[in-house]
Structures are given as structure tokens and as C-alpha cells.
Amino acid sequence: MADDIDIQARIKGLIEEEHGLRSQLGAGEISVEEENQRLRSIEVELDQCWDLLRQRRARREFGEDPGAAQVRDAKVVESYRG
């Protein structure tokens, strides 16, 4: 992901996909299991995107290169949850 705009666009796309899954479930096009599996994957990717944005903003705030921020492993990002 190159910059904040790209990350924000990815976040928007994931949220739209999440809404689409809920609609598909409501229409009987996918099973609850399919929805849950994909929603979990979306949730993890969203957490990674938000984490990356926070890293970039913190680096910028402290005069560091925001481009040096890295997507963290899902296990790392998910361990932040309380």
C-alpha cells in the first residue's frame, strides 16, 4: 500500500464488501458459515489497514518517513485486542 489515500480506499472497499456479504446472506446467496469466514478475513485485513494508517500518522507526527511503515502480521495486529 503506497500512501494514506490507497489505504483509505482499501478500507472503504473492505467495508463495502462487508455490507455486500450481509446482503448476500439476507438474500440466501451464501451460508452463515461462508459469511462468517469471509467477515473474519475482512476484519483482520481492516485491523491491519487501520494499524498501518496509525503507524504512518505517528511517523509523520514525529518527523519520520511514513513510507517506512509496514503492514504487520495478522497475529501481531490481532493481539492488540483487549
Side-chain angles (χ1 to χ4, degrees):
M1 294 184 196
D3 60 23
D4 292 1
I5 301 294
D6 293 335
I7 299 165
Q8 291 167 347
R10 182 63 185 146
I11 289 170
K12 183 179 182 212
L14 289 166
I15 291 169
E16 289 171 358
E17 185 176 349
E18 184 178 50
H19 292 162
L21 285 169
R22 294 182 197 282
S23 294
Q24 287 178 317
L25 178 65
E29 297 170 3
I30 60 173
S31 69
V32 172
E33 294 79 22
E34 289 171 306
E35 183 209 31
N36 287 338
Q37 181 179 19
R38 185 59 191 134
L39 284 175
R40 177 66 185 133
S41 176
I42 290 170
E43 180 182 290
V44 170
E45 190 171 348
L46 278 169
D47 289 344
Q48 287 176 307
C49 288
W50 284 116
D51 175 68
L52 183 58
L53 271 179
R54 283 190 293 273
Q55 287 182 62
R56 291 177 57 80
R57 289 174 180 161
R59 286 179 166 279
R60 196 175 291 115
E61 181 180 339
F62 291 100
E64 297 176 14
D65 177 16
Q70 299 286 322
V71 175
R72 295 181 211 206
D73 185 76
K75 291 178 183 177
V76 172
V77 174
E78 293 303 291
S79 70
Y80 295 155
R81 293 180 170 203

